[in-house]
Structures are given as C-alpha cells and as structure tokens.
Amino acid sequence: MNAKHFHKNLAPLLLSLGLALSSPSQAGILTIDNFSHSQTVFDDGSSSGSTSDTVSVLTGTDLSNASRTFIAEASGTASANTTEIVSGGNQLIISNDGRSAGSASILWNFDPLDLSAHGNAILLEVLAIDLGVNVEMVANGSSSSGIKTFTGNNNYLVSFSDFTNLAVFTNLHSFRLNFTGPAKWDGQFRLLTTTTPVPVPVPVPAAFGLMGSALLGFIAVSRKKSLS
C-alpha cells in the first residue's frame, strides 16, 4: 500500500473513531403525561377518607387508551385542612393548607406496552418542591421504587433497576406516583416521561492525539517525497 492510499484510508478511520468515543448517545423519550389535560380534585379534613377523580380518556400522553385518577387525602379533622391536586397548562400542582400534611396520588392505567423499548428510566421534571416531600413510584401495582425524598428543585430521575421488579416494564399497564410530606407541603411538576439518560461524553484519550500528530508527520513526509 503506497503512502497516498494509506493516508486516504487512515484519516477517515481516525476521525470516525474519535467521534464515536467523544459523542454521547441519543436519548429516547416516551411521554407518560405532559399535564396538559385539565383535572382537579379537592379534599378537606372534615371528610372521611380520600377524594378521587378520574379522567377516562387522557390527552397529552403517548400511552394508548390511558386514564388518569387523582387521589387526595387531607390530614386532620378540620374542614380548613385541605389537599388539592390540579393539572393543566403543562403543569401538575399539589398543594396543602398550612395545617394539612396530606397525601396525593396519581394513577395511570393504559394498554400494556414494553416501556423498556423506549428507555430505562422515569423522569419527573420538578418546577418547585418543598423540602421533606417524599415520592414513591409504583409500576403495575406491585413493583416499587421505594420511598425517596426530594432534595431540591431538580429533575427527578429513577432508573428501572431501582424498582423491586424490573421485569414489569416489559409489560407495563399501570403506573402510580404517591406523594407525602410535612404540613403545608407543595409541589409543582411539568412532565413525566420515560427516557434513556445521556452518558457523559468520553474524552478522547491522549494516545489519539499522539496518533493524530504522527499521521500529520507521515502526511508531511509523504508529500515531500512526492514532490522530490
């Protein structure tokens, strides 16, 4: 193989290899709920048990034949102790009166699908959250992420592998969020999706820099010989 042919084939190879090592993979997304569908449920402390409301045909989702149920339960026994769940305008808002440490749940039911074909984690975009608020994610009514505590207004990412039964995501038909917190807790959320987190780009090793320098030197030499 002469120098000209070697140079012609080696340069694109090095470029492709460098890009493969330095470029992150693309993330796949399936929207469980963008909270554009308007819905409200309100519960006060004077009522017994929880209050619920169901939307039988949910919009703003990539799920098929999806319904969504809001379940609110205020704490205490006074009517002024209230818990409210509201969605619409691409936001989910959960609020509690100053005397209520209520609980809030959102339940989705839908046609079975292989969620693992669309990603490997659940992403909940957080707009605002009080400290000390907990969330539990439950898939198919049995596989739990465990109770986790928000530490700030950061997007909340839970890997499928964090659930007690990873296999349910290959045939998922229901998903639930359970929120609890201290008195007067509030939260605002924007989007619930499945996603594949983008890995941190891998720096190109120094060896490739040396290889590039050697290639440039080889090209210079070969050009000098061809001009002789």
Side-chain angles (χ1 to χ4, degrees), residues 136-193:
E136 178 192 24
M137 298 183 178
V138 183
N140 282 1
S142 59
S143 181
S144 172
S145 66
I147 298 174
K148 301 178 185 294
T149 303
F150 291 102
T151 57
N153 299 335
N154 302 313
N155 289 342
Y156 195 68
L157 190 70
V158 180
S159 172
F160 292 174
S161 61
D162 289 340
F163 287 75
T164 53
N165 182 7
L166 175 64
V168 299
F169 288 100
T170 62
N171 188 33
L172 191 71
H173 55 78
S174 75
F175 194 77
R176 181 168 178 149
L177 297 178
N178 296 321
F179 295 93
T180 56
K184 199 181 177 179
W185 73 267
D186 299 295
Q188 296 181 36
F189 311 94
R190 183 171 59 188
L191 188 68
L192 181 68
T193 68

Side-chain angles (χ1 to χ4, degrees), residues 14-153:
L14 288 174
L15 178 61
S16 299
L17 185 57
L19 290 174
L21 289 170
S22 61
S23 299
S25 61
Q26 297 298 312
I29 292 177
L30 180 141
T31 299
I32 297 172
D33 201 337
N34 66 10
F35 303 117
S36 61
H37 197 129
S38 297
Q39 185 180 5
T40 301
V41 67
F42 179 90
D43 187 71
D44 62 52
S46 65
S47 60
S48 177
S50 61
T51 302
S52 64
D53 179 80
T54 299
V55 170
S56 57
V57 181
L58 182 66
T59 60
T61 178
D62 291 333
L63 303 171
S64 297
N65 296 320
S67 66
R68 182 180 68 192
T69 301
F70 285 172
I71 306 164
E73 184 170 4
S75 65
T77 58
S79 60
N81 294 6
T82 61
T83 298
E84 185 175 27
I85 309 172
V86 179
S87 73
N90 300 115
Q91 287 191 39
L92 173 71
I93 300 173
I94 303 173
S95 57
N96 287 272
D97 173 80
R99 289 159 290 187
S100 179
S103 61
S105 295
I106 299 92
L107 171 65
W108 293 265
N109 288 293
F110 41 87
D111 288 347
L113 82 161
D114 182 0
L115 204 64
S116 64
H118 301 277
N120 58 22
I122 300 293
L123 173 66
L124 177 63
E125 293 191 10
V126 180
L127 297 177
I129 192 70
D130 289 332
L131 295 181
V133 177
N134 305 314
V135 64
E136 178 192 24
M137 298 183 178
V138 183
N140 282 1
S142 59
S143 181
S144 172
S145 66
I147 298 174
K148 301 178 185 294
T149 303
F150 291 102
T151 57
N153 299 335

